[in-house]
Amino acid sequence: MTEVGLEEKEYLDLLTLQRLLKSGVEELFPTKLWVKAEIASVSRKQNGHCYLDLCQNDESGTVARVKAAIWRSRFLQLNNFFAQATGTVLQAGMSVLVRVQVSYNELYGLTLSIDDIDPAFTIGEKEQEKKRTIARLEQEGLMDKQKQLSFPVLPYSLAVISASSAAGFGDFCRHLEGNSYGFVFQVELFEAVMQGVTAPDSIIDALSRVESAQTSYDAVLLLRGGGAELDLACFDDYRLCAAIASCPLPVITAIGHERDYHVADMVAYSYEKTPTALADVFIDCYMAEDERICSFETRLKLAFVNKIAAMMARVDLLENRIQAADPRKLLSRGYTLVANSGGRLIKEAKGIAPGDILRIMFADGTLSCEVKDRK
């Protein structure tokens, strides 16, 4: 075997190769272009630059990945513009449409320099994803599964899934515990992340902990209390919504303000706009039962009074009849009563013989008489 010398092979040194790549890339993309991608990670540096990893995924996983940057001179303005339009900042898991300048550096390789972003695309992508989630849940028969569960008349033991520091959770507890009727509830917190890409897995885990707990809960409450539109997009996640739909306990959501309505709300047993409104639901349950019991008490008292009145009327009737049949009434009208010597009333002359002693009773006295004759 003959050894081939290095001088006999054609080769390029690395720097030359990198310069050729740089020249080729920048010649191929001389102008800026719009690129659709998903943010895999975001890193904001103290020097003001923002570095991102952009990726594209399909069913098999990540199929493309590239580094991108928003330089300090552009980042603050661009970040504020995006936040005002969407209500949130750039974050991992977000689909974006960005305008980039493709560049190649001999040391750092391919980089996309971002100088513009379309917030309407990000919002639209989330809306399309929401529609796909709804269609899948409907196809799998999960949209109305929670609605088939029964809800207790007096729910007492409540499992709450929320962040412990969330204002919504605090509002719920204060309103529930401070009710003016003195109703008492048992509330247990199952803490979870309530926004961002980690929220679905965190909430699913909390649901699992509720289901496996030794306490038998009457309902599961999912509380957040509003936020930016894209911050709440996690509540349109298919896996989370499927877990809610499949929960064996009634799940009630209160995760947004008046304008928000998410797939999690659709698949839940019911939903309320705010945590405070949800607290009112449970207070109202006890108020309705209290009113029902008071109604029974009133009806019972009324029935008892009516029964007594009817009995008193019957007594009065009997008393009138007794008084009407009193012999003294007859005597007072001029009639007399006749009795034999033994006091037995005599109603006919038959059987009375001369010499018998009779007693004749008048209203004012009694006469003792001897029978002289009978006709």
Side-chain angles (χ1 to χ4, degrees), residues 4-13:
V4 180
L6 183 62
E7 65 279 358
E8 298 178 11
K9 294 182 178 179
E10 293 185 0
Y11 65 89
L12 295 174
D13 59 69

Side-chain angles (χ1 to χ4, degrees), residues 356-370:
D356 289 345
I357 301 300
L358 301 179
R359 298 174 63 192
I360 301 174
M361 290 176 280
F362 297 88
D364 60 347
T366 302
L367 299 178
S368 181
C369 305
E370 180 182 351

Side-chain angles (χ1 to χ4, degrees), residues 224-270:
R224 190 186 187 282
E229 185 173 349
L230 291 179
D231 283 345
L232 300 176
C234 57
F235 295 103
D236 295 324
D237 180 82
Y238 165 76
R239 294 178 303 107
L240 172 58
C241 295
I244 292 173
S246 302
C247 182
L249 300 171
V251 178
I252 306 177
T253 60
I255 55 180
H257 296 306
E258 290 294 330
R259 68 181 184 277
D260 301 313
Y261 185 55
H262 299 277
V263 182
D265 299 322
M266 301 177 190
V267 299
Y269 178 86
S270 64

Side-chain angles (χ1 to χ4, degrees), residues 45-95:
K45 301 300 183 180
Q46 290 184 349
N47 60 13
H49 301 318
C50 178
Y51 297 96
L52 306 92
D53 276 347
L54 301 180
C55 66
Q56 181 174 336
N57 301 315
D58 64 13
E59 295 79 3
S60 62
T62 301
V63 295
R65 195 178 186 101
V66 68
K67 295 184 181 300
I70 308 175
W71 306 118
R72 176 178 56 195
S73 59
R74 185 64 175 152
F75 174 67
L76 183 59
Q77 180 183 2
L78 195 59
N79 191 53
N80 290 341
F81 164 70
F82 184 81
Q84 289 175 1
T86 64
T88 189
V89 296
L90 295 170
Q91 55 189 280
M94 185 179 288
S95 293

Side-chain angles (χ1 to χ4, degrees), residues 144-179:
D144 297 321
K145 190 172 181 180
Q146 272 274 313
K147 309 298 188 296
Q148 300 170 10
L149 299 176
S150 59
F151 194 74
V153 175
L154 293 176
Y156 166 72
S157 185
L158 309 175
V160 176
I161 297 177
S162 181
S164 60
S165 59
F169 175 60
D171 292 342
F172 172 81
C173 290
R174 283 190 294 273
H175 196 71
L176 192 69
E177 295 169 0
N179 72 86

Side-chain angles (χ1 to χ4, degrees), residues 198-368:
T198 61
D201 284 333
S202 182
I203 297 172
I204 290 171
D205 176 69
L207 280 169
S208 178
R209 286 184 279 129
V210 171
E211 294 173 23
S212 60
Q214 294 183 350
T215 303
S216 180
Y217 296 101
D218 294 317
V220 183
L221 315 182
L222 201 56
L223 304 182
R224 190 186 187 282
E229 185 173 349
L230 291 179
D231 283 345
L232 300 176
C234 57
F235 295 103
D236 295 324
D237 180 82
Y238 165 76
R239 294 178 303 107
L240 172 58
C241 295
I244 292 173
S246 302
C247 182
L249 300 171
V251 178
I252 306 177
T253 60
I255 55 180
H257 296 306
E258 290 294 330
R259 68 181 184 277
D260 301 313
Y261 185 55
H262 299 277
V263 182
D265 299 322
M266 301 177 190
V267 299
Y269 178 86
S270 64
Y271 79 98
E272 296 296 329
K273 289 298 184 181
T274 65
T276 300
L278 180 53
D280 282 331
V281 168
F282 296 101
I283 296 171
D284 290 345
C285 286
Y286 279 76
M287 285 180 59
E289 185 66 11
D290 192 47
E291 290 176 358
R292 191 172 72 91
I293 293 173
C294 289
S295 175
F296 285 153
E297 181 182 4
T298 301
R299 290 166 60 185
L300 182 60
K301 288 180 178 179
L302 182 60
F304 190 68
V305 169
N306 291 341
K307 184 70 173 179
I308 292 175
M311 294 174 65
M312 291 298 296
R314 186 177 178 186
V315 169
D316 291 340
L317 178 62
L318 292 174
E319 183 178 4
N320 291 335
R321 291 173 63 182
I322 291 171
Q323 289 180 355
D326 188 345
R328 289 173 295 184
K329 291 281 187 180
L330 296 173
L331 298 177
S332 65
R333 294 201 296 269
Y335 295 95
T336 60
L337 294 177
V338 180
N340 60 19
S341 58
R344 181 180 177 184
L345 287 177
I346 298 173
K347 298 180 181 180
E348 56 185 3
K350 182 181 178 181
I352 301 299
D356 289 345
I357 301 300
L358 301 179
R359 298 174 63 192
I360 301 174
M361 290 176 280
F362 297 88
D364 60 347
T366 302
L367 299 178
S368 181

